[in-house]
Amino acid sequence: MLLGLAIAAAATTLSAQQRPAAPPSPLAPDPNIKTLVSRLDLEKYKATIKGLTQFGDRRQGTKRNRDAVDWIEAQLKSYGCANVERIVYQYTTRPPQGGGGQGRGGQKPPDPIIASGEVREGPGGSRYRGTTRRTGVNNDPMLQPDEKLRALNTEPATDGERQEVYCTKVGATRPDEMYIVAGHMDGHGWGEAANDDGSGTALVMELARIFSMPDVVTDRSIRFALWNNEETGTNGARAYIEQRQALQGKENPPGSGRYPEPKWLGMIQHDMMMWDHGMPRADGTWNPEQRPEADVNIEFQSTAKKADEAMKLAFHFRYANEIYATDYPAAVGPHMTNTDSGPFMDIVPAISLRENERGMHTGAGWNPTWHQPIDVYKTFSDKDFRLGLNAAQTTFAGVAQLTNARLK
Ligand SMILES: [Zn+2]
């Protein structure tokens, strides 16, 4: 008590002139970035998700998936996003491997609670606690009550050629370096893949739209990538790495000032952005409403070769959220897993943004729509869509800072 008083007394003896100037508040927004972030709009974000749901669950290896790639490409072109390009690769189904998790179809839909109170190991180094529910991929068409949607989702996947699309904001002074902003456009489960991963795909498309506006300048480049084949094991992201890793930072043709594959500075993945309703209740039911304390979960993987840099990148986005997101905060965790940032994480700092932590939340059955027939647009409320919009604000602001984005 006495000591505290003494310190307080000493502090007051420092006059205003003796004190060093206060550093700028870390919470002060950059007016340029604030203006740009305000161009993100809930109704536009919803409309882009709605547009993606016209192709059903967008299962890889089907016409509905190819049609969705064409549609995404047309949108990116309409935004004026530069150099819209495709990766072409082959996909062959691997023979089924044992075990559960998010494997291929044939698994039962979620059934009543399977554990309560015990701590179990989850994916990515996570721990399950409290009430958990079984997860899996619905493969039963009859669980989709909407006959039109059921018919749309009927064609099965066929092995063969696959394509995925990306476009690029070319940096004004550092076109040879880029951040990759990504989501996966394929889905499954006989719904509309509205949340998994229409919500992440639409987020990436919305960022591409705004960064491509003619009055926006960045120093560094930004690539917007919509991976295919995530649900079969991140095959689309792996194909990209295989085909393009060695091209990084090379000017082509020499002397042209063009860099078809800028050097990778970071990879920011978005996978399931809208549903944070909390843990299943003790009776196995879920809160039907977004919980008020919902947040954006930013994850890096502590076992990655680039873990330290990825952790810094994750906190960079968390700070961006504090300054620029309008409704929901962000949290950082060390157990990123099961998404397209995984194949990048030993090469470049890689993080994922999600509605929940993939391990201890999603893996424990916190999202009843996951890979299920109810992952359709109409399941989600504006509070859900708004969480996705806040993730978009977070990534937009974080990337805008990293690339020095500004208005002309
Ligand atoms: Zn996903």
Side-chain angles (χ1 to χ4, degrees), residues 69-101:
V69 174
D70 291 345
W71 184 82
I72 292 166
E73 181 181 72
Q75 304 310 303
L76 295 176
K77 283 182 174 163
S78 77
Y79 305 154
C81 193
N83 309 325
V84 180
E85 290 167 273
R86 291 189 183 205
I87 295 283
V88 180
Y89 59 98
Q90 298 291 319
Y91 176 71
T92 308
T93 308
R94 282 177 307 175
Q97 298 166 337

Side-chain angles (χ1 to χ4, degrees), residues 102 184 186-188 195-198 230-231 269-272 338-340 354 358 370-371:
Q102 76 165 36
H184 73 86
D186 67 312
H188 55 182
N195 189 53
D196 186 9
D197 187 27
E230 191 272 351
E231 300 290 6
Q269 169 78 359
H270 304 81
D271 196 352
M272 303 170 73
N338 289 68
T339 194
D340 295 302
R354 295 183 183 264
R358 171 60 183 81
W370 186 33
H371 298 159

Side-chain angles (χ1 to χ4, degrees), residues 176-182 220-225 227 240 248 261-270 306 309-314 316-317 336 340-341 344-352 395 399 402-403:
D176 57 324
E177 294 182 346
M178 72 172 175
Y179 288 89
I180 303 172
V181 174
R220 295 190 164 100
S221 298
I222 309 165
R223 177 153 292 172
F224 304 95
W227 314 119
Y240 179 90
Q248 284 181 76
E261 191 66 26
K263 180 178 158 46
W264 306 346
L265 299 180
M267 155 66 176
I268 304 124
Q269 169 78 359
H270 304 81
K306 301 284 182 183
E309 290 163 84
M311 177 176 68
K312 283 190 189 124
L313 190 67
H316 170 81
F317 282 85
M336 180 186 83
D340 295 302
S341 40
F344 285 87
M345 71 182 189
D346 290 336
I347 305 167
V348 65
I351 60 173
S352 70
T395 296
V399 171
L402 292 168
T403 59

Side-chain angles (χ1 to χ4, degrees), residues 6 14 24 64 102 118 140 162 169 174 186 197 232 251 273 288 301 321 335 344 388 397:
L14 274 177
R64 62 189 182 278
Q102 76 165 36
E118 65 184 288
D140 180 354
R162 299 285 183 274
K169 169 76 179 179
R174 297 306 307 262
D186 67 312
D197 187 27
T232 51
E251 193 181 32
M273 311 311 298
Q301 176 47 258
N321 168 279
H335 301 310
F344 285 87

Side-chain angles (χ1 to χ4, degrees), residues 210-389:
I210 296 168
F211 274 112
S212 302
M213 288 177 174
D215 62 347
V216 182
V217 188
T218 59
D219 282 345
R220 295 190 164 100
S221 298
I222 309 165
R223 177 153 292 172
F224 304 95
L226 290 317
W227 314 119
N228 205 342
N229 276 93
E230 191 272 351
E231 300 290 6
T232 51
T234 64
N235 309 88
R238 289 171 200 279
Y240 179 90
I241 292 170
E242 202 178 291
Q243 295 183 26
R244 307 207 57 92
Q245 183 177 2
L247 306 176
Q248 284 181 76
K250 289 184 182 159
E251 193 181 32
N252 189 11
S256 65
R258 296 188 56 205
Y259 296 84
E261 191 66 26
K263 180 178 158 46
W264 306 346
L265 299 180
M267 155 66 176
I268 304 124
Q269 169 78 359
H270 304 81
D271 196 352
M272 303 170 73
M273 311 311 298
M274 302 200 294
W275 183 281
D276 189 359
H277 293 208
M279 183 184 285
R281 297 159 170 158
D283 65 359
T285 61
W286 288 271
N287 179 2
E289 285 279 322
Q290 189 77 287
R291 56 178 179 155
E293 52 285 289
D295 60 5
V296 178
N297 289 90
I298 305 170
E299 296 181 274
F300 67 98
Q301 176 47 258
S302 59
T303 63
K305 282 191 188 146
K306 301 284 182 183
D308 284 356
E309 290 163 84
M311 177 176 68
K312 283 190 189 124
L313 190 67
F315 276 102
H316 170 81
F317 282 85
R318 189 189 182 284
Y319 292 130
N321 168 279
E322 285 192 342
I323 302 169
Y324 296 100
T326 49
D327 309 275
Y328 294 106
V332 172
H335 301 310
M336 180 186 83
T337 186
N338 289 68
T339 194
D340 295 302
S341 40
F344 285 87
M345 71 182 189
D346 290 336
I347 305 167
V348 65
I351 60 173
S352 70
L353 274 72
R354 295 183 183 264
E355 64 201 11
N356 281 317
E357 288 200 10
R358 171 60 183 81
M360 74 171 178
H361 303 150
T362 311
W366 284 31
N367 185 341
T369 76
W370 186 33
H371 298 159
Q372 298 304 312
I374 58 167
D375 188 0
V376 292
Y377 183 85
K378 68 174 184 203
T379 295
F380 302 93
S381 75
D382 273 4
K383 288 177 186 170
D384 300 318
F385 289 117
R386 197 169 287 284
L387 181 62
L389 185 76

